[in-house]
Amino acid sequence: MDQTVSSYLPLFLEGEVIKGFGRGSKDLGCPTANYPLDVVKKLPSEFKPGVYYGWAQLDSGPMYKMVANIGYCPYYQNKEMSVETHIIHAFEKDFYGSNLRIAIVGYLRGEMNFDSLNELIETIKQDIVNAGKSLENPESQKLKSNIFFGKP
Ligand code: ADP
Ligand code: RBF
Ligand code: MG
């Protein structure tokens, strides 16, 4: 892993799931749970924007794999940094207002710009596959039972 990245990983974040940009990520097949700005501000100053994988827990529920985009979304040119978590699980309904705990375990790639929305979506699909694989390795598995997460 990248030297700067490995100096602050694993990184644990916790906060409420709020309304995000409302760009309909859900309609694209990739809903992302957004954090309020006070959580985003807890990232270390040397944090490298990009796509990360790790573990997620809603309230005191079960552990799920996740992939997160942390940065400025060059495709949309956001002014503020955002932390958006896509939980790799099909939920029956929304969970705005829930407490979301994440462990950011590893780095997949830097944020990129795309010529079309379709390319962005295809790249995200591949990120989900890559995250799923990386989370199977024993180092990643260990973090799933970290004391940071509540007992399901
Ligand atoms: P917003 O712009 O408000 O973040 P999204 O289209 O990104 O809207 O949808 C995010 C919301 O969808 C989350 O806040 C959550 O309530 C819900 N959701 C349902 N399934 C998932 C999932 N697998 N991962 C993340 N959020 C999900
Ligand atoms: N936005 C970008 O502008 N560039 C990216 O490379 C990028 N990668 C993403 C990877 C993942 C796994 C996820 C969940 C989101 C990513 N996004 C990226 C953010 C995307 O633009 C945002 O979720 C939109 O709201 C989707 O419509
Ligand atoms: Mg979102």
Side-chain angles (χ1 to χ4, degrees), residues 20-21 25 31-34 84:
F21 303 104
S25 320
T32 60
N34 292 62
E84 297 184 80

mmCIF file of all heavy atoms in Angstrom, residues 20-21 25 31-34 84, ligand 3:
data_model
loop_
_atom_site.group_PDB
_atom_site.id
_atom_site.type_symbol
_atom_site.label_atom_id
_atom_site.label_comp_id
_atom_site.label_asym_id
_atom_site.label_seq_id
_atom_site.Cartn_x
_atom_site.Cartn_y
_atom_site.Cartn_z
ATOM 1 N N GLY A 20 -27.770 13.397 1.175
ATOM 2 C CA GLY A 20 -26.585 13.806 0.430
ATOM 3 C C GLY A 20 -26.916 14.793 -0.666
ATOM 4 O O GLY A 20 -27.783 15.648 -0.508
ATOM 5 N N PHE A 21 -26.276 14.603 -1.799
ATOM 6 C CA PHE A 21 -26.435 15.546 -2.904
ATOM 7 C C PHE A 21 -27.745 15.364 -3.656
ATOM 8 O O PHE A 21 -28.111 16.188 -4.480
ATOM 9 C CB PHE A 21 -25.254 15.410 -3.867
ATOM 10 C CG PHE A 21 -23.928 15.618 -3.204
ATOM 11 C CD1 PHE A 21 -23.100 14.545 -2.911
ATOM 12 C CD2 PHE A 21 -23.505 16.899 -2.852
ATOM 13 C CE1 PHE A 21 -21.866 14.739 -2.294
ATOM 14 C CE2 PHE A 21 -22.274 17.092 -2.238
ATOM 15 C CZ PHE A 21 -21.457 16.011 -1.950
ATOM 16 N N SER A 25 -28.003 8.712 -6.888
ATOM 17 C CA SER A 25 -27.025 7.618 -6.965
ATOM 18 C C SER A 25 -27.759 6.283 -6.864
ATOM 19 O O SER A 25 -27.350 5.283 -7.449
ATOM 20 C CB SER A 25 -26.025 7.702 -5.814
ATOM 21 O OG SER A 25 -25.654 9.027 -5.569
ATOM 22 N N PRO A 31 -26.483 3.495 -4.233
ATOM 23 C CA PRO A 31 -26.763 4.492 -3.201
ATOM 24 C C PRO A 31 -25.546 4.680 -2.304
ATOM 25 O O PRO A 31 -24.803 3.725 -2.054
ATOM 26 C CB PRO A 31 -27.935 3.887 -2.421
ATOM 27 C CG PRO A 31 -27.853 2.424 -2.672
ATOM 28 C CD PRO A 31 -27.271 2.275 -4.050
ATOM 29 N N THR A 32 -25.323 5.899 -1.859
ATOM 30 C CA THR A 32 -24.200 6.163 -0.954
ATOM 31 C C THR A 32 -24.704 6.890 0.286
ATOM 32 O O THR A 32 -25.388 7.906 0.173
ATOM 33 C CB THR A 32 -23.128 7.035 -1.634
ATOM 34 O OG1 THR A 32 -23.701 8.286 -2.022
ATOM 35 C CG2 THR A 32 -22.508 6.332 -2.825
ATOM 36 N N ALA A 33 -24.390 6.353 1.450
ATOM 37 C CA ALA A 33 -24.777 6.975 2.712
ATOM 38 C C ALA A 33 -23.780 8.092 3.016
ATOM 39 O O ALA A 33 -22.572 7.859 3.072
ATOM 40 C CB ALA A 33 -24.777 5.936 3.832
ATOM 41 N N ASN A 34 -24.300 9.308 3.156
ATOM 42 C CA ASN A 34 -23.433 10.477 3.367
ATOM 43 C C ASN A 34 -23.347 10.872 4.837
ATOM 44 O O ASN A 34 -24.324 10.761 5.577
ATOM 45 C CB ASN A 34 -23.958 11.668 2.562
ATOM 46 C CG ASN A 34 -23.813 11.479 1.063
ATOM 47 O OD1 ASN A 34 -24.394 10.559 0.477
ATOM 48 N ND2 ASN A 34 -23.022 12.322 0.429
ATOM 49 N N GLU A 84 -18.722 9.263 1.224
ATOM 50 C CA GLU A 84 -19.919 8.552 0.770
ATOM 51 C C GLU A 84 -19.673 7.055 0.843
ATOM 52 O O GLU A 84 -18.771 6.556 0.172
ATOM 53 C CB GLU A 84 -20.199 8.845 -0.698
ATOM 54 C CG GLU A 84 -20.510 10.253 -1.084
ATOM 55 C CD GLU A 84 -20.866 10.301 -2.577
ATOM 56 O OE1 GLU A 84 -21.999 9.969 -2.923
ATOM 57 O OE2 GLU A 84 -19.973 10.645 -3.369
HETATM 58 MG MG MG B 3 -25.360 9.636 -1.267
#
